[in-house]
Amino acid sequence: MQLAIRNGWVTDRDGNRLKPDSKTAHEDVLFDDEPLDPAQGVVLLLNKPVGYTCSTKDHGRLVYDLLPDRFRTRKPALSSIGRLDKETSGLLLFTDDGTFLHKVISPKSNVPKVYELALDRPLKGDEAALFASGEMMLESEDKPLKPAQLEVLDDTTARLTLHEGRYHQVRRMFAATGNHVAQLRRSRIGALGLEGLAEGEWKALSDNEKAKIFA
């Protein structure tokens, strides 16, 4: 790094050459006109497309393929905060901060997750009351689901807000009513959305954006 600084390869965003004692924020430092990788403690937001698996080992297309290759060797490693199945798109978070990860997924945080969905068959009309009851049981489970809020958009499309994250929960909830989720997209976690982020793109979150998760 000392050699890079001496050669003028390290600058700020205005093109000013930095010195070893320069007081410049990490996100404002450029190396050879490219920003530095996010510092440890980063939280990344990805707009996941359909067809990618939330795994580091499975065959086929992985969500990590959408991030720079060098991110695979970060220490500590990046982990997804929860998962989206292969056929679900939308908001997916990654972090190398274990404390932050557990805060997001902890039941005590009660972070709402919003899903937009399309169904194979028209809604019957009683799903909202069932989902909000706090008494709905899924097959092979012995604990009822937390109340969830269903907003009906039309006969076959809806928005569902969950306050927990069980395996394939949205799909299993509608299967229990005799319906099938044809398309599923997570659009929001807390007050954090995907505004301005195209499908397949990612960005590092600012502190203000991270705070929106718990807003």
Side-chain angles (χ1 to χ4, degrees):
M1 181 59 75
Q2 293 293 333
L3 177 62
I5 291 174
R6 287 200 300 271
N7 287 337
W9 298 339
V10 182
T11 65
D12 62 20
R13 292 187 180 275
D14 295 324
N16 301 310
R17 292 186 176 188
L18 299 183
K19 299 178 181 179
D21 60 351
S22 295
K23 304 297 183 183
T24 305
H26 181 95
E27 60 270 20
D28 293 328
V29 176
L30 304 182
F31 180 85
D32 201 19
D33 294 328
E34 294 292 333
L36 300 180
D37 285 347
Q40 185 174 334
V42 66
V43 179
L44 303 182
L45 169 63
L46 170 71
N47 189 349
K48 176 191 174 297
V50 168
Y52 286 81
T53 303
C54 291
S55 173
T56 58
K57 298 179 181 179
D58 289 350
H59 298 294
R61 296 187 296 178
L62 309 178
V63 290
Y64 292 93
D65 296 337
L66 299 167
L67 304 176
D69 287 343
R70 62 186 180 277
F71 280 19
R72 295 175 183 265
T73 60
R74 284 178 65 102
K75 301 293 182 183
L78 283 172
S79 299
S80 63
I81 302 178
R83 294 190 172 200
L84 295 178
D85 67 51
K86 185 176 180 180
E87 301 308 318
T88 300
S89 64
L91 195 158
L92 183 63
L93 298 173
F94 298 84
T95 188
D96 58 6
D97 183 340
T99 300
F100 185 87
L101 186 155
H102 289 294
K103 182 179 179 182
V104 175
I105 66 175
S106 171
K108 294 180 180 179
S109 296
N110 198 36
V111 174
K113 294 174 281 291
V114 181
Y115 296 84
E116 317 282 340
L117 56 102
L119 299 164
D120 273 350
R121 291 178 286 280
L123 290 157
K124 299 175 182 177
D126 59 354
E127 294 90 349
L130 174 62
F131 295 169
S133 69
E135 299 176 355
M136 185 177 185
M137 298 286 295
L138 294 178
E139 186 177 354
S140 302
E141 296 199 8
D142 58 7
K143 185 178 180 181
L145 297 175
K146 289 184 176 182
Q149 293 73 51
L150 180 68
E151 179 185 352
V152 176
L153 304 178
D154 61 36
D155 285 351
T156 58
T157 61
R159 180 178 295 118
L160 182 64
T161 301
L162 302 182
H163 299 272
E164 58 186 334
R166 303 195 195 183
Y167 179 72
H168 288 178
Q169 182 173 343
V170 177
R171 298 183 188 278
R172 293 168 68 202
M173 288 172 70
F174 281 96
T177 70
N179 214 326
H180 173 74
V181 176
Q183 297 177 14
L184 184 60
R185 175 178 178 267
R186 183 158 66 192
S187 59
R188 193 165 295 277
I189 294 181
L192 178 69
L194 287 165
E195 292 81 1
L197 196 64
E199 193 171 84
E201 291 186 346
W202 66 273
K203 69 175 184 178
L205 296 184
S206 67
D207 288 342
N208 286 339
E209 289 172 321
K210 286 187 280 188
K212 288 183 178 181
I213 296 170
F214 307 102

